[in-house]
Amino acid sequence: MIKLFKYLKKYSFFIVLAITFVTIQGILNLYLPNLMADIVNKGVTRGDVDYIWNVGGKMLLITLLNISSAIVATFFAAKVSMLFGKDLRSMVFKRVMNFSLNEIDKFGTSTLITRNTNDITQVQTVVFMLLRLVALAPIMSIGGTIMAVSKSPKLSMVLLVSLPIMFVAIYFIAKYTMPLFRSMQKKIDKLNRILRENLTGVRVIRAFAKTEYEKKRFEGANDDLTQTTLKVNRIFALVFPMIMLIMNFTTIFLIWIGAVQVDKGALQVGDIMAVMQYILQIMFSFIMISIIFIFLPRASASAERIREVLGMESEIKDPDKPAELKKKGEIEFKNVTFFYQGAKEPALENISFKANPGEFIGIIGSAGSGKSTLINLLLRFYDVTNGEILIDGINIKQVSQKELREMISLVPSRPIIFSGTIEENIRIGKEDATEEEIIEALKIAQAWEFVSKLPEGIKTKVSQGGTNLSGGQKQRLAIARGIIGKKNIYIFDDCFSALDFKTDSRVRMALREKLKDSTVIIVSLRVATIMNSDKILVLDNGRIVGIGTHKELMRTSKVYKEIVSSQLSEEEIA
Ligand code: ADP
Ligand code: MG
């Protein structure tokens, strides 16, 4: 947690203010019992009403000051802790946005969400407590001890008995609650994960009639968290009565010993009352410190989880001096081999090929053969394990990721639609697109047919994830988004599969015309989609088992011939 505190530095001024006002509050707190002793000793016992009014007025004034400084101190403590939380959240967010897919795979989505919300709240709360309470406790306990001893050393001895008893009690509470607090964050993670999976997979869960099972799974995790929280709360339920008990016994002893002293004439009644208040203040300070010590482990577990995210360097970094791309769109893979994190088998092995502007490249291969992986590498979502990928003759590791990706347009195999209007979704591909351009792109993607029939046309709202659209409609919108901007390289990853054959071929014909100056890569499971390409790569199990045109491959590649004969009829092949 200390390591996170460096981000508090820029709020030093507010922290100093908070602590100053807390200190003022503490000193004023210490002054009050003293005045009360005076009222009792000099005013009440002598029947001096004027004196009582006089000192009572002073007490009132001090109390007002006390409250004001408490408010100001709370204000600054809250300000510091909230700003700190805000900073942490945006830092974590920025860091995660810079992660390559590798790091996101490593953490998992739900824990990244918990870390950026709940965990930061924990740390933020403790910062507030530290500023507000812990700063007060030393003043109160040390100052209180000095004041109590100066009033009556004998009475103050009571502390020697009650403090140790309290420490023992708190020790046992802490011992039982600390591990529980630590495990709570993990349980929250789990709950979030199940909730997320259920929300995103709701259709599948219903279709497979797994609702009951999922309900139980959620309830299991929910129960688990509840039980832990309840356990903590049960222990805490004991704390208050226990502390009251210790305090009340302390009071009894004080009055008992004090009464004897007063009898002997060694002490005045007012002094007993003052010492009693001091001792209660001291004990309260220790309770405050202890409570923080109980909360600290949870917060430091959270802090560690936040630091893990902040400390995770993205494996994919921009070079110090990025090279300039020539913006033509030549692609070259040279002996590229790639292993996913922890995988024993390479997802791609020894891939070499070239693609030039104006060419249509088809990639075909069965599911899991590495087609999407190849695309991921070209966009540098992952870095190659061996070999190199060149664009316009420059290794893509030597250019900035932004520049690289600005050259490329990707239509992924699973269309991602964001909440907003259709127009906004298309504009992601080209911010300043005119309405005509949007409609043209929609027409090329064969999406205009259905969009034009919608009551509000391109202004129609789509829900998050595009759930109010069909799979094919989403796919067409994604294609329109992919082609609207002028790019050097266009990649269509298996995105024609949700279209029927006729639409598929119409889209491709339109693309031939529109994208004729660019390098176009079309990935598909369907022969018909790629058979007219200038060059076809046949992938099998992460390797290229054939490169060439349809005609050439029919002669040279067994795998290709098998795929073709399984999909096309005799006359289509001919
Ligand atoms: P395709 O797109 O040809 O269907 P992919 O390129 O998606 O195939 O996957 C190729 C192989 O890599 C598969 O065996 C798959 O299990 C594996 N793979 C894909 N993505 C990941 C990932 N993020 N982590 C680990 N393995 C992966
Ligand atoms: Mg794929």
Side-chain angles (χ1 to χ4, degrees), residues 121-159:
T121 311
Q122 304 298 337
V123 176
Q124 183 179 302
T125 311
V126 161
V127 168
F128 177 77
M129 283 164 93
L130 283 176
L131 284 177
R132 192 64 194 83
L133 301 177
V134 171
L136 191 60
I139 304 168
M140 298 296 289
S141 50
I142 297 170
T145 311
I146 294 171
M147 298 297 277
V149 171
S150 76
K151 284 271 176 221
S152 162
K154 264 219 178 86
L155 276 185
S156 308
M157 298 286 232
V158 172
L159 274 178

mmCIF file of all heavy atoms in Angstrom, residues 121-159:
data_model
loop_
_atom_site.group_PDB
_atom_site.id
_atom_site.type_symbol
_atom_site.label_atom_id
_atom_site.label_comp_id
_atom_site.label_asym_id
_atom_site.label_seq_id
_atom_site.Cartn_x
_atom_site.Cartn_y
_atom_site.Cartn_z
ATOM 1 N N THR A 121 -11.987 1.431 -4.054
ATOM 2 C CA THR A 121 -12.811 1.975 -2.971
ATOM 3 C C THR A 121 -12.230 1.602 -1.607
ATOM 4 O O THR A 121 -12.208 2.420 -0.693
ATOM 5 C CB THR A 121 -14.255 1.449 -3.082
ATOM 6 O OG1 THR A 121 -14.687 1.639 -4.415
ATOM 7 C CG2 THR A 121 -15.174 2.175 -2.137
ATOM 8 N N GLN A 122 -11.768 0.351 -1.483
ATOM 9 C CA GLN A 122 -11.186 -0.080 -0.206
ATOM 10 C C GLN A 122 -10.004 0.804 0.188
ATOM 11 O O GLN A 122 -9.899 1.282 1.322
ATOM 12 C CB GLN A 122 -10.672 -1.526 -0.283
ATOM 13 C CG GLN A 122 -11.673 -2.562 -0.704
ATOM 14 C CD GLN A 122 -12.825 -2.656 0.256
ATOM 15 O OE1 GLN A 122 -12.704 -2.283 1.417
ATOM 16 N NE2 GLN A 122 -13.954 -3.104 -0.226
ATOM 17 N N VAL A 123 -9.110 1.003 -0.777
ATOM 18 C CA VAL A 123 -7.904 1.780 -0.494
ATOM 19 C C VAL A 123 -8.272 3.221 -0.173
ATOM 20 O O VAL A 123 -7.758 3.820 0.777
ATOM 21 C CB VAL A 123 -6.948 1.730 -1.705
ATOM 22 C CG1 VAL A 123 -5.745 2.618 -1.470
ATOM 23 C CG2 VAL A 123 -6.509 0.305 -1.954
ATOM 24 N N GLN A 124 -9.206 3.730 -0.943
ATOM 25 C CA GLN A 124 -9.655 5.099 -0.755
ATOM 26 C C GLN A 124 -10.226 5.294 0.654
ATOM 27 O O GLN A 124 -9.935 6.274 1.327
ATOM 28 C CB GLN A 124 -10.717 5.320 -1.826
ATOM 29 C CG GLN A 124 -11.319 6.654 -1.915
ATOM 30 C CD GLN A 124 -12.331 6.660 -3.058
ATOM 31 O OE1 GLN A 124 -12.008 6.372 -4.210
ATOM 32 N NE2 GLN A 124 -13.557 6.946 -2.742
ATOM 33 N N THR A 125 -11.022 4.312 1.113
ATOM 34 C CA THR A 125 -11.622 4.397 2.443
ATOM 35 C C THR A 125 -10.542 4.426 3.520
ATOM 36 O O THR A 125 -10.618 5.193 4.476
ATOM 37 C CB THR A 125 -12.536 3.187 2.692
ATOM 38 O OG1 THR A 125 -13.394 3.049 1.581
ATOM 39 C CG2 THR A 125 -13.358 3.364 3.955
ATOM 40 N N VAL A 126 -9.538 3.572 3.344
ATOM 41 C CA VAL A 126 -8.493 3.533 4.362
ATOM 42 C C VAL A 126 -7.696 4.827 4.382
ATOM 43 O O VAL A 126 -7.324 5.318 5.448
ATOM 44 C CB VAL A 126 -7.584 2.300 4.150
ATOM 45 C CG1 VAL A 126 -6.273 2.481 4.870
ATOM 46 C CG2 VAL A 126 -8.292 1.073 4.665
ATOM 47 N N VAL A 127 -7.471 5.408 3.218
ATOM 48 C CA VAL A 127 -6.761 6.694 3.185
ATOM 49 C C VAL A 127 -7.553 7.729 3.983
ATOM 50 O O VAL A 127 -6.992 8.476 4.786
ATOM 51 C CB VAL A 127 -6.547 7.174 1.727
ATOM 52 C CG1 VAL A 127 -6.090 8.617 1.695
ATOM 53 C CG2 VAL A 127 -5.525 6.296 1.044
ATOM 54 N N PHE A 128 -8.858 7.728 3.786
ATOM 55 C CA PHE A 128 -9.692 8.665 4.530
ATOM 56 C C PHE A 128 -9.558 8.426 6.034
ATOM 57 O O PHE A 128 -9.355 9.344 6.818
ATOM 58 C CB PHE A 128 -11.155 8.523 4.097
ATOM 59 C CG PHE A 128 -12.089 9.405 4.867
ATOM 60 C CD1 PHE A 128 -12.172 10.762 4.596
ATOM 61 C CD2 PHE A 128 -12.869 8.877 5.884
ATOM 62 C CE1 PHE A 128 -13.023 11.579 5.310
ATOM 63 C CE2 PHE A 128 -13.722 9.697 6.616
ATOM 64 C CZ PHE A 128 -13.799 11.049 6.322
ATOM 65 N N MET A 129 -9.656 7.124 6.414
ATOM 66 C CA MET A 129 -9.563 6.802 7.845
ATOM 67 C C MET A 129 -8.214 7.204 8.408
ATOM 68 O O MET A 129 -8.122 7.742 9.512
ATOM 69 C CB MET A 129 -9.768 5.304 8.053
ATOM 70 C CG MET A 129 -11.226 4.886 7.967
ATOM 71 S SD MET A 129 -11.336 3.105 7.763
ATOM 72 C CE MET A 129 -11.501 2.580 9.416
ATOM 73 N N LEU A 130 -7.170 6.949 7.631
ATOM 74 C CA LEU A 130 -5.830 7.284 8.112
ATOM 75 C C LEU A 130 -5.729 8.782 8.379
ATOM 76 O O LEU A 130 -5.232 9.208 9.423
ATOM 77 C CB LEU A 130 -4.779 6.890 7.071
ATOM 78 C CG LEU A 130 -4.425 5.408 6.984
ATOM 79 C CD1 LEU A 130 -3.443 5.170 5.846
ATOM 80 C CD2 LEU A 130 -3.837 4.910 8.288
ATOM 81 N N LEU A 131 -6.225 9.557 7.436
ATOM 82 C CA LEU A 131 -6.099 11.003 7.576
ATOM 83 C C LEU A 131 -6.951 11.518 8.731
ATOM 84 O O LEU A 131 -6.562 12.378 9.485
ATOM 85 C CB LEU A 131 -6.548 11.694 6.294
ATOM 86 C CG LEU A 131 -5.568 11.645 5.139
ATOM 87 C CD1 LEU A 131 -6.170 12.306 3.920
ATOM 88 C CD2 LEU A 131 -4.276 12.350 5.528
ATOM 89 N N ARG A 132 -8.158 10.949 8.811
ATOM 90 C CA ARG A 132 -9.126 11.503 9.737
ATOM 91 C C ARG A 132 -8.899 10.985 11.165
ATOM 92 O O ARG A 132 -8.953 11.744 12.126
ATOM 93 C CB ARG A 132 -10.525 11.099 9.245
ATOM 94 C CG ARG A 132 -11.655 11.803 9.896
ATOM 95 C CD ARG A 132 -11.607 13.289 9.587
ATOM 96 N NE ARG A 132 -12.486 14.029 10.477
ATOM 97 C CZ ARG A 132 -12.156 14.416 11.684
ATOM 98 N NH1 ARG A 132 -10.955 14.144 12.157
ATOM 99 N NH2 ARG A 132 -12.991 15.091 12.434
ATOM 100 N N LEU A 133 -8.654 9.680 11.322
ATOM 101 C CA LEU A 133 -8.627 9.101 12.654
ATOM 102 C C LEU A 133 -7.221 8.895 13.187
ATOM 103 O O LEU A 133 -6.913 9.229 14.325
ATOM 104 C CB LEU A 133 -9.354 7.755 12.650
ATOM 105 C CG LEU A 133 -10.813 7.803 12.210
ATOM 106 C CD1 LEU A 133 -11.401 6.415 12.180
ATOM 107 C CD2 LEU A 133 -11.595 8.697 13.140
ATOM 108 N N VAL A 134 -6.371 8.330 12.315
ATOM 109 C CA VAL A 134 -5.063 7.954 12.833
ATOM 110 C C VAL A 134 -4.245 9.173 13.225
ATOM 111 O O VAL A 134 -3.479 9.154 14.175
ATOM 112 C CB VAL A 134 -4.322 7.074 11.806
ATOM 113 C CG1 VAL A 134 -2.902 6.857 12.242
ATOM 114 C CG2 VAL A 134 -5.045 5.758 11.695
ATOM 115 N N ALA A 135 -4.476 10.274 12.490
ATOM 116 C CA ALA A 135 -3.745 11.477 12.859
ATOM 117 C C ALA A 135 -4.193 11.967 14.230
ATOM 118 O O ALA A 135 -3.420 12.522 15.000
ATOM 119 C CB ALA A 135 -3.971 12.555 11.804
ATOM 120 N N LEU A 136 -5.462 11.732 14.535
ATOM 121 C CA LEU A 136 -6.020 12.217 15.793
ATOM 122 C C LEU A 136 -5.551 11.362 16.977
ATOM 123 O O LEU A 136 -5.302 11.874 18.067
ATOM 124 C CB LEU A 136 -7.553 12.178 15.699
ATOM 125 C CG LEU A 136 -8.366 12.858 16.783
ATOM 126 C CD1 LEU A 136 -8.038 14.335 16.844
ATOM 127 C CD2 LEU A 136 -9.849 12.671 16.518
ATOM 128 N N ALA A 137 -5.426 10.055 16.721
ATOM 129 C CA ALA A 137 -5.161 9.125 17.822
ATOM 130 C C ALA A 137 -3.880 9.412 18.606
ATOM 131 O O ALA A 137 -3.929 9.438 19.846
ATOM 132 C CB ALA A 137 -5.184 7.695 17.300
ATOM 133 N N PRO A 138 -2.731 9.647 17.945
ATOM 134 C CA PRO A 138 -1.514 9.899 18.729
ATOM 135 C C PRO A 138 -1.643 11.138 19.602
ATOM 136 O O PRO A 138 -1.233 11.133 20.760
ATOM 137 C CB PRO A 138 -0.436 10.113 17.661
ATOM 138 C CG PRO A 138 -0.981 9.560 16.413
ATOM 139 C CD PRO A 138 -2.459 9.635 16.505
ATOM 140 N N ILE A 139 -2.236 12.199 19.058
ATOM 141 C CA ILE A 139 -2.398 13.428 19.851
ATOM 142 C C ILE A 139 -3.241 13.142 21.085
ATOM 143 O O ILE A 139 -2.898 13.514 22.203
ATOM 144 C CB ILE A 139 -3.107 14.527 19.022
ATOM 145 C CG1 ILE A 139 -2.336 14.765 17.736
ATOM 146 C CG2 ILE A 139 -3.251 15.792 19.828
ATOM 147 C CD1 ILE A 139 -3.104 15.607 16.747
ATOM 148 N N MET A 140 -4.351 12.451 20.837
ATOM 149 C CA MET A 140 -5.274 12.177 21.933
ATOM 150 C C MET A 140 -4.650 11.259 22.973
ATOM 151 O O MET A 140 -4.837 11.444 24.169
ATOM 152 C CB MET A 140 -6.559 11.535 21.410
ATOM 153 C CG MET A 140 -7.343 12.389 20.446
ATOM 154 S SD MET A 140 -7.962 13.870 21.202
ATOM 155 C CE MET A 140 -9.212 13.163 22.240
ATOM 156 N N SER A 141 -3.927 10.232 22.514
ATOM 157 C CA SER A 141 -3.421 9.282 23.499
ATOM 158 C C SER A 141 -2.232 9.854 24.267
ATOM 159 O O SER A 141 -2.180 9.782 25.495
ATOM 160 C CB SER A 141 -3.070 7.951 22.827
ATOM 161 O OG SER A 141 -2.260 8.178 21.718
ATOM 162 N N ILE A 142 -1.301 10.477 23.538
ATOM 163 C CA ILE A 142 -0.123 11.029 24.232
ATOM 164 C C ILE A 142 -0.531 12.241 25.073
ATOM 165 O O ILE A 142 -0.265 12.318 26.287
ATOM 166 C CB ILE A 142 0.980 11.416 23.229
ATOM 167 C CG1 ILE A 142 1.462 10.163 22.501
ATOM 168 C CG2 ILE A 142 2.148 12.099 23.950
ATOM 169 C CD1 ILE A 142 2.362 10.444 21.324
ATOM 170 N N GLY A 143 -1.245 13.167 24.429
ATOM 171 C CA GLY A 143 -1.709 14.357 25.145
ATOM 172 C C GLY A 143 -2.586 13.972 26.334
ATOM 173 O O GLY A 143 -2.444 14.518 27.432
ATOM 174 N N GLY A 144 -3.470 13.021 26.116
ATOM 175 C CA GLY A 144 -4.376 12.577 27.177
ATOM 176 C C GLY A 144 -3.603 12.006 28.357
ATOM 177 O O GLY A 144 -3.906 12.313 29.526
ATOM 178 N N THR A 145 -2.584 11.208 28.051
ATOM 179 C CA THR A 145 -1.784 10.623 29.131
ATOM 180 C C THR A 145 -1.106 11.721 29.946
ATOM 181 O O THR A 145 -1.142 11.732 31.185
ATOM 182 C CB THR A 145 -0.717 9.672 28.544
ATOM 183 O OG1 THR A 145 -1.346 8.808 27.619
ATOM 184 C CG2 THR A 145 -0.068 8.849 29.639
ATOM 185 N N ILE A 146 -0.498 12.684 29.234
ATOM 186 C CA ILE A 146 0.193 13.772 29.939
ATOM 187 C C ILE A 146 -0.791 14.518 30.848
ATOM 188 O O ILE A 146 -0.521 14.755 32.036
ATOM 189 C CB ILE A 146 0.839 14.747 28.932
ATOM 190 C CG1 ILE A 146 1.955 14.020 28.165
ATOM 191 C CG2 ILE A 146 1.378 15.983 29.649
ATOM 192 C CD1 ILE A 146 2.513 14.801 26.999
ATOM 193 N N MET A 147 -1.953 14.843 30.290
ATOM 194 C CA MET A 147 -2.937 15.596 31.067
ATOM 195 C C MET A 147 -3.429 14.798 32.271
ATOM 196 O O MET A 147 -3.547 15.334 33.383
ATOM 197 C CB MET A 147 -4.144 15.970 30.196
ATOM 198 C CG MET A 147 -3.830 16.870 29.026
ATOM 199 S SD MET A 147 -3.203 18.480 29.512
ATOM 200 C CE MET A 147 -4.737 19.327 29.858
ATOM 201 N N ALA A 148 -3.717 13.503 32.044
ATOM 202 C CA ALA A 148 -4.246 12.682 33.137
ATOM 203 C C ALA A 148 -3.218 12.551 34.257
ATOM 204 O O ALA A 148 -3.537 12.729 35.439
ATOM 205 C CB ALA A 148 -4.647 11.311 32.613
ATOM 206 N N VAL A 149 -1.973 12.266 33.839
ATOM 207 C CA VAL A 149 -0.925 12.097 34.853
ATOM 208 C C VAL A 149 -0.713 13.399 35.615
ATOM 209 O O VAL A 149 -0.523 13.401 36.834
ATOM 210 C CB VAL A 149 0.388 11.602 34.199
ATOM 211 C CG1 VAL A 149 1.535 11.641 35.201
ATOM 212 C CG2 VAL A 149 0.204 10.197 33.657
ATOM 213 N N SER A 150 -0.773 14.527 34.915
ATOM 214 C CA SER A 150 -0.554 15.800 35.600
ATOM 215 C C SER A 150 -1.683 16.075 36.610
ATOM 216 O O SER A 150 -1.485 16.731 37.615
ATOM 217 C CB SER A 150 -0.431 16.946 34.597
ATOM 218 O OG SER A 150 -1.712 17.268 34.104
ATOM 219 N N LYS A 151 -2.866 15.588 36.326
ATOM 220 C CA LYS A 151 -3.978 15.760 37.264
ATOM 221 C C LYS A 151 -3.820 14.827 38.453
ATOM 222 O O LYS A 151 -3.964 15.242 39.608
ATOM 223 C CB LYS A 151 -5.324 15.445 36.587
ATOM 224 C CG LYS A 151 -5.809 16.529 35.667
ATOM 225 C CD LYS A 151 -6.655 17.542 36.413
ATOM 226 C CE LYS A 151 -7.040 18.686 35.460
ATOM 227 N NZ LYS A 151 -6.951 19.995 36.097
ATOM 228 N N SER A 152 -3.587 13.532 38.145
ATOM 229 C CA SER A 152 -3.426 12.587 39.244
ATOM 230 C C SER A 152 -2.693 11.339 38.761
ATOM 231 O O SER A 152 -3.283 10.487 38.090
ATOM 232 C CB SER A 152 -4.807 12.201 39.790
ATOM 233 O OG SER A 152 -4.697 11.016 40.535
ATOM 234 N N PRO A 153 -1.445 11.218 39.114
ATOM 235 C CA PRO A 153 -0.667 10.051 38.685
ATOM 236 C C PRO A 153 -1.284 8.750 39.205
ATOM 237 O O PRO A 153 -1.305 7.747 38.483
ATOM 238 C CB PRO A 153 0.709 10.275 39.308
ATOM 239 C CG PRO A 153 0.741 11.707 39.701
ATOM 240 C CD PRO A 153 -0.669 12.157 39.907
ATOM 241 N N LYS A 154 -1.818 8.796 40.414
ATOM 242 C CA LYS A 154 -2.362 7.571 41.018
ATOM 243 C C LYS A 154 -3.523 7.037 40.198
ATOM 244 O O LYS A 154 -3.560 5.853 39.846
ATOM 245 C CB LYS A 154 -2.853 7.876 42.448
ATOM 246 C CG LYS A 154 -1.843 7.541 43.518
ATOM 247 C CD LYS A 154 -2.526 6.930 44.738
ATOM 248 C CE LYS A 154 -1.485 6.559 45.786
ATOM 249 N NZ LYS A 154 -1.162 7.723 46.663
ATOM 250 N N LEU A 155 -4.469 7.932 39.864
ATOM 251 C CA LEU A 155 -5.637 7.500 39.105
ATOM 252 C C LEU A 155 -5.239 6.972 37.735
ATOM 253 O O LEU A 155 -5.814 6.012 37.223
ATOM 254 C CB LEU A 155 -6.614 8.668 38.920
ATOM 255 C CG LEU A 155 -7.585 8.950 40.057
ATOM 256 C CD1 LEU A 155 -8.554 10.047 39.635
ATOM 257 C CD2 LEU A 155 -8.358 7.690 40.429
ATOM 258 N N SER A 156 -4.218 7.610 37.141
ATOM 259 C CA SER A 156 -3.826 7.231 35.792
ATOM 260 C C SER A 156 -3.316 5.802 35.722
ATOM 261 O O SER A 156 -3.263 5.203 34.649
ATOM 262 C CB SER A 156 -2.753 8.183 35.267
ATOM 263 O OG SER A 156 -3.186 9.502 35.419
ATOM 264 N N MET A 157 -2.924 5.285 36.896
ATOM 265 C CA MET A 157 -2.423 3.906 36.940
ATOM 266 C C MET A 157 -3.467 2.917 36.407
ATOM 267 O O MET A 157 -3.114 1.844 35.927
ATOM 268 C CB MET A 157 -2.080 3.497 38.368
ATOM 269 C CG MET A 157 -0.993 4.326 38.988
ATOM 270 S SD MET A 157 0.575 3.911 38.311
ATOM 271 C CE MET A 157 1.463 3.618 39.830
ATOM 272 N N VAL A 158 -4.727 3.298 36.501
ATOM 273 C CA VAL A 158 -5.791 2.407 36.025
ATOM 274 C C VAL A 158 -5.534 1.979 34.579
ATOM 275 O O VAL A 158 -5.806 0.859 34.179
ATOM 276 C CB VAL A 158 -7.160 3.112 36.140
ATOM 277 C CG1 VAL A 158 -8.262 2.301 35.471
ATOM 278 C CG2 VAL A 158 -7.492 3.343 37.601
ATOM 279 N N LEU A 159 -4.952 2.928 33.826
ATOM 280 C CA LEU A 159 -4.642 2.635 32.423
ATOM 281 C C LEU A 159 -3.773 1.402 32.278
ATOM 282 O O LEU A 159 -3.895 0.651 31.319
ATOM 283 C CB LEU A 159 -3.908 3.819 31.800
ATOM 284 C CG LEU A 159 -4.751 4.941 31.215
ATOM 285 C CD1 LEU A 159 -3.841 6.034 30.700
ATOM 286 C CD2 LEU A 159 -5.620 4.402 30.087
#
